[in-house]
Amino acid sequence: MTTQRCAMQELPDTRYQFGGLLGQRIGLNQEHWLLTAPQANPGMLAILYDRDRLPRRDLVPWAGEFAGKYLTSAVLCYRLTRDPRLAQQIERFVATFVAAQDDDGYLGPFPRSERLSGTILDGRGRTWDLWGHYHAILGLLLWHAESGDESTLRAASRIGDLICDTFLGTGRRVLEAGDEEMNQAISHGLCLLHQVTGNERYLAMAREVERDWEAPASGDYVRAALAGTPFWQMRKPRWESLHSVQAILSLYEITGEERYRRAFEAIWQSIHDGDIHNTGGFSSGEAATGNPYDPRAIETCCTVAWMALCVDMLRLTGDPRVADALELATLNATLGAQSPSGRWWTYNTPMDGVRRASAHDIVFQAREGTPELNCCSVNGPRSLGMLSQWAVLRSERGLALNYYGPGTITVPCEGGLLTLRQETDYPRDGRIEIAIEVEGSAAELALGLRVPAWSQQTGLARNGSALAQPAPGAYAWLEGPWRSGDRITLEMDLRPRFWMGEREAAGKTSIYRGPLLLAYDRWLNTMDPDGLPALATEKVTLTRTSLAPAVVEPWIALETYAADGTRLVLCDFASAGAAGTPYRTWLPLDKR
């Protein structure tokens, strides 16, 4: 019911067929996690039914998030595959999830005496109960939008009603629940509920949480951003705060007040400029630090939240450079966080280091009935599913194509269909052929092609006729009408690019080929990590090479030579360390 104030809109009915490595990873994620996780971890839902039983379950403060995060990931990934098995899994999951809701709307794992209160658990801090309900709202609303299932909208609305009954006009405040970054994220859920239902109580409650933001214990996001304070210097720079920042955009969509738009854009820009690592991942030690070289943990949940913020920023501004950030995070941080088997996700995906399953790194979150559950295992798949929210978008001018890679995208348009079939080995190769098929009035649509900011010299042709070289960091708009059989050709500039390190990475460089971050992996080389030879950037050339034997076949392997002539094999970051070997993305520079 909200007034549309964004430059671009999502196209939830789009159909996808992804090929290449990304398509394989999407399929494996579905087969080995989404279709098995609730059965392998039945406590994910059982804890909701046991909340008032004795003896009490031993729960982490954020245990209420698991079901909502899983549902959000599953729905977004279902949009990519449309696999009826996954639809049936989600239907069963939702039915059991909704049935656990109490008469007052409560849908969490904690007993009546502790609901929404921020009660301090023995030795484990306060409960993140509002945080858990935020993720429940998000997942339920997504499935309602996808399936039309009214039970999920009722369940989400009952959560909203419970929040309002508890805090709106009662003298109690969300602020009192503590853990402000987490529990105040309910503001975004309330805004989403208002946008779907038009219920003014949800908006009024969100505005009350907005008042809480200004308290000394909270982040003061809007006022701080408008005063020019970068996110990392705000009072609450942990990653969970990004979901409150999403509420700022929702408030702009609802009210049209420009201060919300300016605050949201300022926060996004400060994170982009000062806190995104060479992998496209966000956070150092679970928070913004203003230092992209900080070697502390880059948590998967943090990167997922950053990508969700980017999806909103792309919708708001229509700036293709935001899609560049999403591509960087998807092809590097996301795929690097996922096991090649699709069975597990990391907690930390470091720039230099090793890959460890989240079930090992944060095993303290495992419990009886949930041996594989932790915050990242249920949230990581969302980073793949978000492709459905940015791969192709609609603007007033036409369709904007943001995702490149082998596969097919079919977009329902007024009176017809537009199908874009990409014949390419991108990002391993820079040539992208797009074959077009049209039905009905879709032929008249303009098509905007994202030209990455890193592709300084991009070739563009239509039906074999060369067009003017498009500007990097912009959309190349091609007008209709289109006919089935039309072809567009893009030639991306894959010359190596370098990010010169500073601070902890001083004297080192990261190398990119197109959107792919390259890495040293000990498995592919004769030298050990501490014996890496220095590179002379002006002499670096990258040549495709084959490997034999290969325990884990990398997506791409490239041969180069160090300043002293030593042969060095680099691979894509998504593959580096997959065999459990150490890897490096910050490579030593020849200082002569």
Side-chain angles (χ1 to χ4, degrees):
M1 292 188 178
T2 184
T3 301
Q4 181 56 250
R5 304 180 195 277
C6 291
M8 290 185 170
Q9 296 86 50
E10 292 180 24
L11 297 162
D13 293 327
T14 299
R15 297 295 187 265
Y16 303 93
Q17 290 181 335
F18 290 97
L21 178 68
L22 189 59
Q24 294 173 17
R25 292 292 194 91
I26 291 169
L28 291 167
N29 173 65
Q30 175 179 282
E31 295 298 323
H32 297 157
W33 178 251
L34 294 174
L35 289 175
T36 64
Q39 292 82 359
N41 301 274
M44 189 188 327
L45 292 172
I47 61 174
L48 305 177
Y49 289 83
D50 286 350
R51 56 188 169 231
D52 290 306
R53 303 295 298 273
L54 294 175
R56 289 185 59 171
R57 281 183 179 259
D58 174 27
L59 301 177
V60 294
W62 52 90
E65 73 174 26
F66 294 147
K69 278 186 172 181
Y70 169 82
L71 180 57
T72 296
S73 293
V75 175
L76 290 176
C77 289
Y78 171 70
R79 288 181 176 179
L80 301 181
T81 68
R82 302 292 173 179
D83 190 314
R85 297 175 302 155
L86 185 53
Q88 292 171 5
Q89 170 90 313
I90 295 171
E91 288 169 357
R92 290 192 299 268
F93 186 90
V94 164
T96 308
F97 189 28
V98 169
Q101 192 165 35
D102 211 341
D103 292 340
D104 63 357
Y106 184 79
L107 193 50
F110 299 108
R112 286 182 178 272
S113 61
E114 299 176 3
R115 292 181 181 178
L116 309 181
S117 64
T119 297
I120 297 178
L121 299 175
D122 293 340
R124 295 189 301 277
R126 293 178 180 268
T127 59
W128 301 4
D129 213 2
L130 287 157
W131 168 259
H133 281 80
Y134 162 61
H135 286 286
I137 290 172
L138 188 59
L140 291 167
L141 288 182
L142 280 170
W143 186 238
H144 172 259
E146 183 60 42
S147 68
D149 181 355
E150 289 298 322
S151 73
T152 55
L153 179 58
R154 286 195 300 272
S157 298
R158 292 179 65 203
I159 293 173
D161 293 340
L162 171 64
I163 304 303
C164 292
D165 292 344
T166 303
F167 297 102
L168 188 60
T170 65
R172 291 182 59 185
R173 304 204 63 81
V174 167
L175 183 67
E176 297 169 9
D179 289 298
E180 293 79 16
E181 304 97 317
M182 303 80 177
N183 286 322
Q184 290 177 8
I186 194 65
S187 56
H188 186 221
L190 291 162
C191 286
L192 294 176
L193 278 170
H194 171 76
Q195 289 174 287
V196 173
T197 68
N199 189 323
E200 291 297 327
R201 289 186 80 211
Y202 303 148
L203 177 58
M205 187 66 242
R207 302 302 283 267
E208 287 300 303
V209 181
E210 180 185 5
R211 285 179 54 202
D212 287 344
W213 291 344
E214 298 180 355
S218 301
D220 205 9
Y221 312 108
V222 175
R223 295 192 305 183
L226 294 178
T229 304
F231 181 70
W232 68 274
Q233 289 185 328
M234 293 183 187
R235 293 195 295 250
K236 294 291 183 178
R238 276 184 60 92
W239 70 270
E240 295 94 344
S241 290
L242 297 193
H243 296 298
S244 289
V245 176
Q246 287 188 274
I248 297 173
L249 175 61
S250 293
L251 287 169
Y252 168 71
E253 291 180 292
I254 293 166
T255 68
E257 293 182 35
E258 281 296 314
R259 66 189 180 97
Y260 292 126
R261 178 188 180 112
R262 289 188 287 113
F264 179 85
E265 291 186 1
I267 291 172
W268 184 91
Q269 195 67 54
S270 77
I271 295 172
H272 177 269
D273 293 348
D275 270 291
I276 301 306
H277 297 284
N278 59 358
T279 64
F282 164 66
S283 87
S284 304
E286 304 189 11
T289 64
N291 178 11
Y293 312 100
D294 190 323
R296 286 178 293 171
I298 306 172
E299 184 186 358
T300 294
C301 283
C302 307
T303 297
V304 171
W306 162 245
M307 293 175 70
L309 203 70
C310 287
V311 167
D312 284 349
M313 183 69 170
L314 181 58
R315 287 194 303 108
L316 175 66
T317 65
D319 186 343
R321 292 171 295 183
V322 181
D324 289 355
L326 281 162
E327 179 182 55
L328 178 69
T330 300
L331 299 183
N332 298 285
T334 289
L335 295 185
Q338 184 197 29
S339 163
S341 71
R343 191 70 189 93
W344 53 262
W345 293 76
T346 66
Y347 158 75
N348 173 28
T349 313
M351 298 176 284
D352 297 338
V354 295
R355 304 285 167 84
R356 296 188 181 94
S358 59
H360 299 160
D361 236 4
I362 47 177
V363 67
F364 74 92
Q365 296 189 37
R367 295 292 189 276
E368 300 84 358
T370 56
E372 301 168 313
L373 277 203
N374 55 67
C375 53
C376 295
S377 67
V378 287
N379 208 22
R382 182 180 174 184
S383 57
L384 291 174
M386 277 189 279
L387 276 163
S388 68
Q389 297 179 298
W390 67 271
V392 61
L393 296 172
R394 181 71 185 264
S395 75
E396 289 186 358
R397 187 165 181 180
L399 295 180
L401 180 62
N402 294 306
Y403 169 77
Y404 296 120
T408 301
I409 300 175
T410 299
V411 183
C413 305
E414 296 84 351
L417 298 172
L418 181 67
T419 297
L420 308 172
R421 180 178 299 106
Q422 297 191 43
E423 301 166 2
T424 179
D425 195 26
Y426 181 87
R428 295 193 298 186
D429 185 82
R431 184 177 180 84
I432 303 166
E433 294 271 359
I434 304 173
I436 294 178
E437 298 175 10
V438 295
E439 295 181 20
S441 59
E444 302 301 321
L445 283 171
L447 183 61
L449 306 170
R450 177 178 63 90
V451 181
W454 49 259
S455 185
Q456 292 297 303
Q457 297 179 20
T458 305
L460 177 62
R462 180 172 180 170
N463 293 329
S465 298
L467 303 176
Q469 186 176 102
Y475 287 108
W477 284 97
L478 304 181
E479 302 296 330
W482 301 98
R483 297 187 305 273
S484 292
D486 283 347
R487 299 182 74 85
I488 301 169
T489 304
L490 283 161
E491 288 279 0
M492 298 295 187
D493 184 355
L494 297 187
R495 288 176 296 176
R497 298 175 290 114
F498 303 90
W499 179 346
M500 299 302 176
E502 301 174 21
R503 303 184 191 183
E504 291 90 342
K508 299 178 181 179
T509 187
S510 288
I511 305 177
Y512 295 86
R513 185 176 183 270
L516 296 181
L517 172 65
L518 302 181
Y520 154 90
D521 186 331
R522 188 178 68 186
W523 170 256
L524 307 177
N525 292 275
T526 58
M527 78 289 294
D528 290 332
D530 291 339
L532 276 173
L535 298 170
T537 57
E538 69 278 4
K539 297 180 181 179
V540 168
T541 59
L542 300 171
T543 305
R544 295 278 290 270
T545 187
S546 58
L547 300 170
V551 173
V552 178
E553 188 72 34
W555 197 1
I556 190 170
L558 299 160
E559 180 183 77
T560 190
Y561 289 87
D564 64 2
T566 301
R567 179 177 180 268
L568 183 66
V569 176
L570 303 176
C571 68
D572 59 285
F573 180 75
S575 302
T581 47
Y583 63 86
R584 300 284 188 271
T585 65
W586 287 111
L587 307 174
L589 272 172
D590 181 14
K591 300 177 182 179
R592 291 174 296 176

